Amino acid sequence: MAQLIFKGRDIYYDVKGLGKPFVILNGIMMSTKSWEPFMESFSENNMCIRLDFLDQGQSAKLKSSVYTQDLQVQIIEALIKELNLSKVSIVGISYGGEVALEFAVKHPNLVDRLVLFNTTPYTSPWLAEIGYKWNSIGRTRDGKTYYQATIPAIYSPSFYESRLAWMKKREEILLPIFSNPDFLDAMERLTNSAEHYDVRDRLDQITAPTLIVAADEDYLTPINNQKYLNEHIKESSLVILPGVGHASMYETPMVFVSLVLGFINTKQTSYQV
Amino acid sequence: MAQLIFKGRDIYYDVKGLGKPFVILNGIMMSTKSWEPFMESFSENNMCIRLDFLDQGQSAKLKSSVYTQDLQVQIIEALIKELNLSKVSIVGISYGGEVALEFAVKHPNLVDRLVLFNTTPYTSPWLAEIGYKWNSIGRTRDGKTYYQATIPAIYSPSFYESRLAWMKKREEILLPIFSNPDFLDAMERLTNSAEHYDVRDRLDQITAPTLIVAADEDYLTPINNQKYLNEHIKESSLVILPGVGHASMYETPMVFVSLVLGFINTKQTSYQV
Amino acid sequence: MAQLIFKGRDIYYDVKGLGKPFVILNGIMMSTKSWEPFMESFSENNMCIRLDFLDQGQSAKLKSSVYTQDLQVQIIEALIKELNLSKVSIVGISYGGEVALEFAVKHPNLVDRLVLFNTTPYTSPWLAEIGYKWNSIGRTRDGKTYYQATIPAIYSPSFYESRLAWMKKREEILLPIFSNPDFLDAMERLTNSAEHYDVRDRLDQITAPTLIVAADEDYLTPINNQKYLNEHIKESSLVILPGVGHASMYETPMVFVSLVLGFINTKQTSYQV
Amino acid sequence: MAQLIFKGRDIYYDVKGLGKPFVILNGIMMSTKSWEPFMESFSENNMCIRLDFLDQGQSAKLKSSVYTQDLQVQIIEALIKELNLSKVSIVGISYGGEVALEFAVKHPNLVDRLVLFNTTPYTSPWLAEIGYKWNSIGRTRDGKTYYQATIPAIYSPSFYESRLAWMKKREEILLPIFSNPDFLDAMERLTNSAEHYDVRDRLDQITAPTLIVAADEDYLTPINNQKYLNEHIKESSLVILPGVGHASMYETPMVFVSLVLGFINTKQTSYQV
């Protein structure tokens, strides 16, 4: 539980464990707390670094500001410096995967390995439209509709149905949050910060071994996005999770953790087969 | 252009062409007009029967009523009788595919062949949630948000992007319709009429040769739904359209028409291979 | 049942039915007889033209010759001329699909529509190796091993198992044929005629509306081949048959016939959606 | 490099590294040496136990014997006892995955975690036919044909083509081995030992957390086999490797190693999400 001052703003972060360091970057609706269930594994043999992006969790809110994801990229750079690390692995999901990619194309030498879950290389017109919808509904302050408009696009139909009781409990937890104007405004700013995101023409600058994880019921960043990443990032491999949606870390937690720790900790990155 | 009086209500229908008859059933947002681009092909060697369901197009509106899809099923039965047909093929997409299935399990002897595009055997809790969202947003009367909440879930990301100009024109056409309270109220009633739809335990009653068409970017009635249909309908075959979404008839029109006409007109239904 | 003399050799062909003409081209192990189960449907409203390629069925054998598929292409050209047809649709499967593609890039103006089942745009080193195996085993004259080396690669695991009795009967029929040295030698020449087949850099010359049909358990010409065709043929659409293998015409006959007749007979090829 | 005497026969095995122990079980054509490229990673934080099955590598040959895979299962049991281990994780590929499954249903309490690559729950009639072909060709002693009959079914078309030079070098290495009568006879016995393999009705006895890895260009144990395992093993998860074939460990080595080490070493097996 620590704070970094970035351009006069508080950034909340947390470091746990000893070993090869990795930064794990939140999806748009997440916060450092979202990773709590995995921390026992993440910190067993690694230094796991979590942070709340600006406008997330306990970090500063940027009321009435317009910004792009590059601001979040700068925060990661500052945090790595603060921690005196020369190189880290970066793990990101969705919005966090986008920031991870932007960081990796800007600072290839700082990245040891890269693991991307449910990540797109750009905000397509189709995805932008979904963001506009989230924003429009957020402005109505109707938490229930915001839930209906976001959550069934985030969890797969397979998971939604097989874990219906869990989803209902989730709804109870989320409704008050989704009815909070501050949360909804922060969500709108975060959504807008990704509106023009596009790293497609810079993917060749990434040099780190990269694991790309797609989920075949991901309806926000569908599998074609991850295929594109796999075709354009040199040292990359693609893995597909069947029956899983956009919230892969909660839908298939043991596979999620295994992929993260397996890929960043494996000693060799090349094999004389 | 004709009218059927059903329980005192006007049902608008249209019959075009001569030959083996087939009824084509609209998706929830569609009307008889939606099929106009295909009518030259549909009527060349077939009698093509279109109709507006209750609460669609030029048929009666059921203001302040609550009903289930069984009412639509009864209309089809009445229409077949009106036209003095002993057996018809039925083609349906989405909502229309649901009504087609309900008709086929209720009146197996009236169905010659069945073609189902983008159809689910039941309204899952996940799909129901999407319906609730549509309804919530409809009640705000905000056409733009209604567009954002529905259309990107209906057209595939692939189509949306490769045909962006077409989508923009579509938006212009749809915005005034989506801002019309009567349309939005009718949409809510139609959505509600499918809320408890479930034919899973009656699929074995279908005897007609059945073609099930799935689209692998269909995020409303995903491919697992069509696999279920294929596993439970005796004489069924499954075909998958890659890079296509829920609006398959507009996304890949030549394949759509070929599948409809090929399957309902082929002379043999069994082959001595 | 008719004969065409091509460069002094007998070519056996057959014309059945009246209507829009289409030529259907055999896979490598097939002959005109292989289409018999479908002829009632194929000839109902169409003129269906079948032929045995050189070294197939009742056509001439080219003992001790070396040739490429271009010879088969010339035969089709001669046959179309013989029948006084100005334009035909062409349907091909596997080897027949390859000849169809070579014909279409050479004579785009003679092709009305094109339907390709289980077809690759080129003989990859991987596929060539499979051909060498077939040839090596053919030379042992051991029909049983030839059966084991070819048939499980042609029929899908799903079909093989669900239709085991049919497969066993098929084995009885095929064993004597596969033990016939003349058949095996002809198979070797046919296999060799495709060894250097590659139309990849000429696919842009195809102007006919084209339907490409892939089968997801096709282990001879896997789905990536059909995706390549779809990406490089201008007016093409791709359809996938799940749980089906390389012998799609026998594994899912009603879908096979529906796709052929639906696609070549549909009146419109463009739609004002 | 050590030897275990099992029923009077020498079994060659090797133990390397300290940490959580796992046994890695060879595919049919493999031996302990096949894992050499991965040993630096496998032994870094784990005790990695390799062995040659009977009729493999440096273990005893069972000339003129008929046996089933249960004999190999007994060897693993004996080896675990010899090493004084109370519980191990088991990793298997193909034939090794089959033995792993048979071991896990017989000794659920001895298995900590299970990782299965390219594994089927039973030898289907289709797969049996492929085995008969291998045996028939093996008996001709023609190494080149044996290569053509086996290797293109083991490596994916994608890998075969993108790594053509590697494949050619592999062919040079394999041809002398595939021309060795002792190797071919051992292969026949190993193939026959799996002829009646079927654990489908005992999969519910497996209690270990299980990772099932499918490869979508695996044409020997296709993806439907792994889906079956995933549906019937309680604590199992499925991961799909796109563009990869039956030899997943060599086609995508970094993913292979990451999945093995990630899954067997992750501290938690359940998560309070």
Side-chain angles (χ1 to χ4, degrees):
Chain A
M1 320 244 172
Q3 268 169 312
L4 168 78
I5 309 298
F6 172 76
K7 297 189 178 179
R9 313 272 191 175
D10 283 353
I11 300 297
Y12 175 86
Y13 72 94
D14 180 67
V15 179
K16 195 167 179 191
L18 292 172
K20 276 190 72 174
F22 72 98
V23 182
I24 190 156
L25 300 179
N26 309 331
I28 195 165
M29 279 191 188
M30 298 171 68
S31 73
T32 50
K33 284 189 185 156
S34 310
W35 303 113
E36 209 52 48
F38 311 114
M39 291 313 295
E40 192 181 330
S41 290
F42 279 170
S43 64
E44 195 196 8
N45 294 305
N46 288 93
M47 174 190 293
C48 176
I49 303 155
R50 294 176 283 170
L51 75 154
D52 286 332
F53 285 129
L54 280 167
D55 273 326
Q56 279 191 335
Q58 300 171 66
S59 288
K61 299 287 171 285
L62 285 185
K63 298 196 176 179
S64 355
S65 295
V66 171
Y67 58 93
T68 69
Q69 288 169 314
D70 188 57
L71 203 60
Q72 317 283 22
V73 169
Q74 293 172 40
I75 291 168
I76 300 167
E77 195 190 351
L79 182 55
I80 291 175
K81 205 170 175 181
E82 168 88 3
L83 297 172
N84 282 313
L85 297 168
S86 56
K87 214 168 186 174
V88 295
S89 288
I90 299 191
V91 178
I93 185 164
S94 193
Y95 186 95
E98 298 174 5
V99 175
L101 278 169
E102 290 182 302
F103 185 87
V105 299
K106 200 174 171 186
H107 306 291
N109 297 330
L110 297 182
V111 183
D112 184 17
R113 296 183 199 169
L114 199 54
V115 184
L116 305 166
F117 289 85
N118 308 84
T119 296
T120 178
Y122 73 116
T123 301
S124 70
W126 176 83
L127 184 58
E129 204 75 81
I130 292 172
Y132 302 146
K133 171 186 69 175
W134 288 17
N135 290 346
S136 300
I137 295 170
R139 273 176 245 127
T140 69
R141 307 313 196 192
D142 177 349
K144 177 85 178 174
T145 307
Y146 198 77
Y147 179 89
Q148 294 162 344
T150 52
I151 296 304
I154 290 176
Y155 289 88
S156 70
S158 294
F159 183 81
Y160 203 100
E161 192 159 357
S162 67
R163 300 286 300 278
L164 201 53
W166 189 90
M167 289 305 310
K168 285 294 156 201
K169 225 176 61 188
R170 195 105 199 129
E171 185 175 352
E172 279 171 41
I173 296 166
L174 291 174
L175 281 189
I177 299 170
F178 286 2
S179 303
N180 176 347
D182 289 341
F183 174 83
L184 293 168
D185 286 343
M187 273 298 297
E188 179 161 353
R189 291 191 299 272
L190 286 164
T191 301
N192 289 342
S193 74
E195 187 183 359
H196 302 294
Y197 160 71
D198 191 348
V199 293
R200 282 178 295 177
D201 60 359
R202 288 169 288 157
L203 292 171
D204 57 356
Q205 294 168 37
I206 297 175
T207 51
T210 301
L211 179 66
I212 299 155
V213 186
D216 78 352
E217 294 186 25
D218 180 343
Y219 301 158
L220 278 181
T221 51
I223 204 162
N224 282 345
N225 295 147
Q226 292 86 46
K227 285 183 181 164
Y228 188 96
L229 290 173
N230 183 218
E231 282 160 15
H232 291 83
I233 299 179
K234 279 187 289 281
E235 296 294 321
S236 69
S237 301
L238 177 60
V239 157
I240 299 172
L241 309 179
V244 174
H246 194 66
S248 54
M249 75 283 173
Y250 286 169
E251 297 194 37
T252 181
M254 188 160 177
V255 169
F256 181 87
V257 173
S258 298
L259 286 168
V260 167
L261 296 181
F263 195 79
I264 65 173
N265 288 328
T266 292
K267 192 171 184 191
Q268 302 161 269
T269 59
S270 71
Y271 297 85
Q272 296 301 321
V273 294
Chain B
M1 319 243 173
Q3 270 169 312
L4 169 77
I5 309 297
F6 171 78
K7 297 191 176 177
R9 312 273 189 174
D10 283 353
I11 299 298
Y12 175 86
Y13 73 95
D14 179 67
V15 179
K16 196 166 180 192
L18 293 172
K20 277 191 71 173
F22 72 98
V23 182
I24 189 156
L25 299 179
N26 311 331
I28 196 167
M29 280 192 187
M30 297 171 69
S31 73
T32 51
K33 284 187 185 160
S34 310
W35 303 113
E36 209 52 47
F38 310 114
M39 291 312 295
E40 192 181 330
S41 289
F42 279 169
S43 64
E44 196 196 9
N45 294 305
N46 289 91
M47 174 190 292
C48 175
I49 302 155
R50 291 175 284 170
L51 75 153
D52 287 332
F53 285 129
L54 280 165
D55 272 324
Q56 279 192 334
Q58 300 170 65
S59 288
K61 301 288 170 286
L62 284 185
K63 299 194 178 182
S64 357
S65 295
V66 170
Y67 57 95
T68 69
Q69 288 169 314
D70 188 57
L71 203 59
Q72 317 282 23
V73 169
Q74 294 173 38
I75 290 168
I76 299 168
E77 194 189 353
L79 182 55
I80 291 174
K81 204 172 176 180
E82 169 87 1
L83 297 173
N84 282 312
L85 297 168
S86 56
K87 212 168 188 175
V88 296
S89 289
I90 299 191
V91 179
I93 184 163
S94 192
Y95 186 96
E98 299 174 5
V99 176
L101 278 169
E102 290 182 301
F103 185 88
V105 299
K106 200 174 172 185
H107 306 290
N109 297 331
L110 296 181
V111 183
D112 186 17
R113 297 183 198 170
L114 199 54
V115 184
L116 304 167
F117 289 85
N118 308 85
T119 296
T120 178
Y122 73 116
T123 300
S124 69
W126 176 83
L127 184 58
E129 203 76 78
I130 293 173
Y132 302 146
K133 171 186 68 172
W134 290 17
N135 291 346
S136 301
I137 295 170
R139 272 176 245 128
T140 68
R141 306 315 196 191
D142 178 348
K144 178 83 179 175
T145 307
Y146 198 78
Y147 179 89
Q148 293 163 345
T150 53
I151 296 304
I154 291 176
Y155 290 87
S156 70
S158 294
F159 184 81
Y160 202 100
E161 192 159 357
S162 66
R163 299 288 299 278
L164 200 53
W166 188 90
M167 289 305 309
K168 285 294 157 198
K169 227 176 62 189
R170 195 107 200 127
E171 184 174 353
E172 280 172 39
I173 297 166
L174 291 174
L175 281 189
I177 299 171
F178 286 3
S179 303
N180 177 346
D182 289 342
F183 173 83
L184 293 168
D185 286 343
M187 274 298 298
E188 179 161 353
R189 293 190 297 271
L190 286 164
T191 301
N192 290 341
S193 74
E195 188 183 357
H196 303 294
Y197 161 71
D198 191 348
V199 293
R200 282 178 296 178
D201 61 359
R202 287 169 287 156
L203 292 172
D204 59 355
Q205 294 168 37
I206 298 176
T207 51
T210 300
L211 179 66
I212 299 155
V213 186
D216 76 353
E217 295 186 24
D218 181 344
Y219 302 157
L220 278 181
T221 51
I223 205 163
N224 282 346
N225 295 147
Q226 291 87 46
K227 285 183 182 163
Y228 189 96
L229 290 173
N230 184 218
E231 282 161 15
H232 291 84
I233 300 180
K234 278 188 288 281
E235 296 293 320
S236 70
S237 301
L238 177 60
V239 157
I240 298 172
L241 309 180
V244 174
H246 194 66
S248 56
M249 75 284 173
Y250 285 169
E251 297 194 38
T252 182
M254 189 161 177
V255 168
F256 182 87
V257 174
S258 298
L259 286 168
V260 168
L261 297 180
F263 195 79
I264 66 174
N265 288 328
T266 292
K267 193 171 184 190
Q268 301 160 269
T269 58
S270 70
Y271 297 83
Q272 297 300 321
V273 293
Chain C
M1 320 243 171
Q3 270 168 312
L4 168 77
I5 308 298
F6 172 77
K7 297 191 177 178
R9 312 274 190 174
D10 282 354
I11 299 298
Y12 175 86
Y13 73 94
D14 180 67
V15 179
K16 196 166 179 191
L18 292 172
K20 276 191 71 172
F22 72 99
V23 182
I24 190 157
L25 300 179
N26 310 331
I28 196 166
M29 279 192 188
M30 298 171 68
S31 73
T32 51
K33 283 187 185 159
S34 310
W35 302 114
E36 209 52 48
F38 311 114
M39 291 313 295
E40 192 180 329
S41 290
F42 279 169
S43 63
E44 196 196 8
N45 295 305
N46 288 92
M47 174 190 293
C48 176
I49 302 155
R50 293 176 283 171
L51 75 154
D52 287 332
F53 285 129
L54 280 166
D55 272 326
Q56 278 192 335
Q58 299 171 66
S59 288
K61 301 288 170 287
L62 283 186
K63 298 194 176 178
S64 356
S65 294
V66 170
Y67 57 93
T68 69
Q69 288 169 314
D70 188 57
L71 203 61
Q72 318 282 21
V73 170
Q74 293 174 39
I75 290 168
I76 299 168
E77 194 190 352
L79 181 56
I80 291 173
K81 205 171 175 181
E82 169 87 2
L83 296 173
N84 282 313
L85 297 168
S86 56
K87 214 167 185 174
V88 295
S89 289
I90 299 191
V91 178
I93 185 164
S94 192
Y95 185 96
E98 298 175 4
V99 176
L101 277 170
E102 290 182 302
F103 185 88
V105 298
K106 200 174 172 186
H107 306 291
N109 297 331
L110 297 182
V111 182
D112 186 17
R113 296 181 200 171
L114 199 54
V115 185
L116 305 166
F117 289 86
N118 309 84
T119 295
T120 178
Y122 73 116
T123 300
S124 69
W126 178 82
L127 184 58
E129 204 75 78
I130 293 173
Y132 302 146
K133 171 186 67 174
W134 289 18
N135 290 346
S136 300
I137 296 170
R139 273 177 243 127
T140 69
R141 307 315 196 192
D142 177 349
K144 178 84 178 175
T145 307
Y146 198 79
Y147 179 89
Q148 293 163 344
T150 53
I151 296 304
I154 290 176
Y155 290 88
S156 70
S158 294
F159 184 80
Y160 203 100
E161 191 158 357
S162 67
R163 299 287 299 278
L164 201 53
W166 189 90
M167 288 306 309
K168 285 293 157 200
K169 226 176 62 188
R170 196 105 198 128
E171 185 174 353
E172 280 172 39
I173 296 166
L174 290 174
L175 281 189
I177 299 171
F178 285 2
S179 303
N180 177 346
D182 289 342
F183 174 83
L184 293 168
D185 286 344
M187 274 298 296
E188 179 161 354
R189 291 189 299 270
L190 286 164
T191 301
N192 289 342
S193 74
E195 187 183 359
H196 302 295
Y197 161 72
D198 192 347
V199 293
R200 283 178 295 177
D201 61 359
R202 288 169 287 157
L203 292 172
D204 59 354
Q205 294 169 37
I206 298 176
T207 51
T210 301
L211 180 65
I212 298 156
V213 187
D216 77 353
E217 295 186 25
D218 180 344
Y219 301 157
L220 278 181
T221 52
I223 204 163
N224 282 345
N225 295 146
Q226 291 86 47
K227 285 183 181 164
Y228 189 96
L229 290 172
N230 184 219
E231 282 161 14
H232 291 83
I233 300 180
K234 278 187 289 281
E235 296 293 320
S236 69
S237 301
L238 177 60
V239 157
I240 298 172
L241 310 179
V244 174
H246 194 66
S248 56
M249 76 284 172
Y250 286 168
E251 296 193 38
T252 181
M254 189 160 177
V255 169
F256 181 87
V257 173
S258 298
L259 285 168
V260 168
L261 296 181
F263 195 78
I264 66 174
N265 288 328
T266 293
K267 194 171 183 191
Q268 302 161 269
T269 58
S270 70
Y271 298 83
Q272 296 301 322
V273 293
Chain D
M1 320 242 171
Q3 268 169 312
L4 168 78
I5 308 298
F6 172 76
K7 297 191 177 178
R9 312 274 189 174
D10 283 353
I11 299 298
Y12 175 86
Y13 72 95
D14 179 68
V15 178
K16 195 166 178 190
L18 293 173
K20 276 191 70 173
F22 72 97
V23 182
I24 190 156
L25 300 179
N26 310 331
I28 195 166
M29 279 191 187
M30 297 171 69
S31 73
T32 50
K33 284 187 185 160
S34 310
W35 302 113
E36 209 52 47
F38 310 114
M39 290 313 295
E40 192 181 329
S41 290
F42 279 170
S43 63
E44 196 196 8
N45 295 305
N46 289 92
M47 175 190 291
C48 176
I49 302 155
R50 292 176 283 170
L51 75 154
D52 288 331
F53 285 129
L54 280 165
D55 272 326
Q56 279 191 335
Q58 300 170 66
S59 288
K61 300 288 170 287
L62 284 185
K63 299 195 178 181
S64 355
S65 295
V66 171
Y67 57 94
T68 70
Q69 288 169 315
D70 188 58
L71 203 60
Q72 318 282 21
V73 169
Q74 294 173 38
I75 290 168
I76 300 168
E77 195 190 351
L79 181 55
I80 291 174
K81 204 171 175 182
E82 168 86 4
L83 297 172
N84 282 312
L85 297 168
S86 56
K87 212 166 187 176
V88 296
S89 288
I90 299 190
V91 178
I93 185 164
S94 193
Y95 186 95
E98 299 174 5
V99 175
L101 278 169
E102 290 182 302
F103 185 88
V105 300
K106 200 174 172 186
H107 306 291
N109 297 331
L110 297 182
V111 182
D112 184 18
R113 297 184 198 168
L114 198 53
V115 184
L116 305 166
F117 289 85
N118 308 85
T119 296
T120 179
Y122 73 116
T123 300
S124 70
W126 176 84
L127 184 58
E129 203 75 79
I130 293 173
Y132 302 146
K133 171 185 69 172
W134 289 17
N135 290 345
S136 300
I137 295 170
R139 273 176 245 127
T140 68
R141 308 312 197 191
D142 178 349
K144 177 83 180 174
T145 306
Y146 198 78
Y147 179 89
Q148 293 162 345
T150 53
I151 296 304
I154 290 176
Y155 289 87
S156 71
S158 293
F159 184 81
Y160 202 100
E161 193 159 356
S162 66
R163 299 289 299 277
L164 200 53
W166 189 90
M167 289 305 308
K168 284 294 157 199
K169 226 176 62 188
R170 194 107 200 126
E171 185 174 353
E172 278 171 40
I173 296 166
L174 291 174
L175 281 190
I177 299 170
F178 286 3
S179 303
N180 176 347
D182 288 342
F183 174 83
L184 293 168
D185 285 344
M187 274 297 298
E188 179 160 352
R189 291 190 298 271
L190 285 164
T191 301
N192 289 342
S193 74
E195 187 182 358
H196 303 294
Y197 161 70
D198 191 348
V199 292
R200 284 178 295 179
D201 61 359
R202 286 168 289 155
L203 292 172
D204 58 355
Q205 294 168 38
I206 297 176
T207 51
T210 301
L211 179 66
I212 299 155
V213 187
D216 78 352
E217 296 186 24
D218 181 343
Y219 302 158
L220 277 182
T221 51
I223 203 162
N224 283 346
N225 294 146
Q226 291 86 47
K227 286 184 180 162
Y228 189 96
L229 290 173
N230 184 217
E231 283 160 14
H232 291 83
I233 299 180
K234 278 187 289 280
E235 296 293 321
S236 69
S237 302
L238 177 60
V239 157
I240 298 172
L241 309 179
V244 174
H246 195 66
S248 56
M249 76 284 174
Y250 286 168
E251 298 194 37
T252 182
M254 188 160 177
V255 169
F256 182 87
V257 173
S258 299
L259 286 167
V260 168
L261 296 181
F263 196 79
I264 65 174
N265 288 329
T266 292
K267 192 169 184 191
Q268 301 161 270
T269 59
S270 71
Y271 297 84
Q272 296 301 320
V273 294

